[in-house]
Amino acid sequence: MENSTPAIIFENIEKNFGSLKVLKGISGEINRGEVVAVIGSSGCGKSTLLRCFNRLETISGGRLVVNDIPLHQSNFNNQQLRQLRTQVGMVFQQFNLFPHLSVLENLTLAQRKVLGKSPNESVQMARFYLEKVGLLDKASAYPEQISGGQKQRVAIARSLCMNPQIMLFDEPTSALDPELVGEVLQVMQQLAAEGMTMVVVTHEMQFAREAAHRVIFLDKGIIAEQGPANNLLSHPQSDRLRFFLSRLMNYEL
């Protein structure tokens, strides 16, 4: 039977770095198959929130459950962490590819080390996802031989090879030249159309409008506004969100 519980549940979660309160008791849910874009100005807490979802950061307070795994419990252990990391994929601003490994080797390494797949099985899976992101012809290339957009597509394919149920994207296009952004967004839109649960921290408002079901606007560590993507971006209710959107180049309400 299909799991009907939300993919991510966060209740009154806080994150402090010393005396700095970055997340100030925010609550919400991400449903399975939903694409949620998280937007906001630099320093508002959006990347911190995303990193809490796969326990790269531990929350300072509140309740956080990701894919039925309780991340907030004090007895959270390495076995649960391993389970979480196989179920939740993450794509960063920087591509984090191993420069001394070929594209294919970058995709097979974690499959063999973490999932225990055979060399043949891992290569087959890697080739499948390279084809999915349009880069099968780059399988034997090394990261320095491909463009930034291609590196990010390889990073997405690497995450997909782990067969995740949730994908997290932390500003995946911010390190790219403008002309390379579209090829990455196209892959992400394809994933969204196929029903992948996705949380995307982004400044790409057009992507948020077209691919996201819902947008969460963070401001100074709180959820200042949220709602259906097209409605929220077309008709922001708060002066703060209107000001934020107006500052983004080429964005028109």
Side-chain angles (χ1 to χ4, degrees):
M1 192 172 73
E2 203 169 301
N3 193 338
S4 61
T5 61
I8 302 174
I9 302 168
F10 50 106
E11 296 177 355
N12 201 33
I13 65 170
E14 301 175 352
K15 178 59 184 178
N16 306 326
F17 294 100
S19 61
L20 179 64
K21 297 183 183 298
V22 178
L23 300 177
K24 302 174 182 177
I26 64 175
S27 301
E29 294 180 348
I30 311 292
N31 294 316
R32 297 183 189 276
E34 187 178 31
V35 180
V36 175
V38 182
I39 65 173
S41 57
S42 297
C44 70
K46 56 189 185 296
S47 289
T48 299
L49 176 64
L50 201 71
R51 291 169 66 87
C52 288
F53 288 166
N54 75 341
R55 222 169 191 263
L56 285 174
E57 300 288 354
T58 55
I59 61 174
S60 305
R63 176 175 178 262
L64 176 58
V65 180
V66 178
N67 216 32
D68 299 321
I69 303 172
L71 275 60
H72 59 282
Q73 293 185 346
S74 57
N75 61 351
F76 186 87
N77 56 46
N78 287 334
Q79 182 180 351
Q80 289 173 303
L81 182 61
R82 187 183 182 94
Q83 180 185 4
L84 178 74
R85 295 283 166 79
T86 59
Q87 296 176 3
V88 181
M90 186 155 183
V91 177
F92 299 88
Q93 296 179 40
Q94 302 299 331
F95 323 113
N96 295 340
L97 300 177
F98 293 109
H100 63 289
L101 298 180
S102 70
V103 165
L104 189 70
E105 289 167 338
N106 266 282
L107 268 64
T108 58
L109 182 64
Q111 293 186 68
R112 291 186 286 106
K113 298 290 187 183
V114 178
L115 300 182
K117 289 186 176 180
S118 69
N120 285 343
E121 190 179 11
S122 62
V123 166
Q124 186 177 1
M125 182 71 76
R127 290 178 64 84
F128 174 82
Y129 281 112
L130 281 176
E131 184 170 22
K132 188 178 184 71
V133 301
L135 290 174
L136 185 55
D137 61 328
K138 300 295 184 183
S140 60
Y142 285 82
E144 65 177 13
Q145 298 172 315
I146 60 178
S147 71
Q150 290 171 334
K151 289 175 187 174
Q152 194 60 291
R153 284 151 64 194
V154 169
I156 292 171
R158 179 179 57 185
S159 287
L160 292 173
C161 281
M162 304 299 285
N163 196 28
Q165 296 178 41
I166 301 168
M167 287 282 285
L168 308 176
F169 295 85
D170 189 6
E171 301 205 37
T173 60
S174 65
L176 301 179
D177 293 333
E179 64 268 23
L180 301 177
V181 168
E183 64 188 70
V184 175
L185 294 182
Q186 186 176 12
V187 171
M188 293 171 65
Q189 285 173 319
Q190 181 184 350
L191 291 176
E194 292 171 357
M196 174 66 76
T197 305
M198 297 164 57
V199 186
V200 186
V201 169
T202 185
H203 280 108
E204 296 288 341
M205 294 302 108
Q206 200 59 36
F207 170 81
R209 184 193 290 272
E210 293 175 2
H213 299 101
R214 188 157 50 94
V215 170
I216 293 174
F217 173 55
L218 282 185
D219 186 38
K220 298 178 181 177
I222 65 168
I223 296 177
E225 199 167 333
Q226 63 177 314
N230 192 56
N231 186 55
L232 181 138
L233 295 173
S234 299
H235 307 288
Q237 298 300 300
S238 65
D239 290 339
R240 183 69 190 91
L241 179 54
R242 276 193 290 272
F243 179 75
F244 170 76
L245 293 175
S246 72
R247 295 296 298 270
L248 294 178
M249 291 179 60
N250 301 323
Y251 188 82
E252 297 180 3
L253 292 178

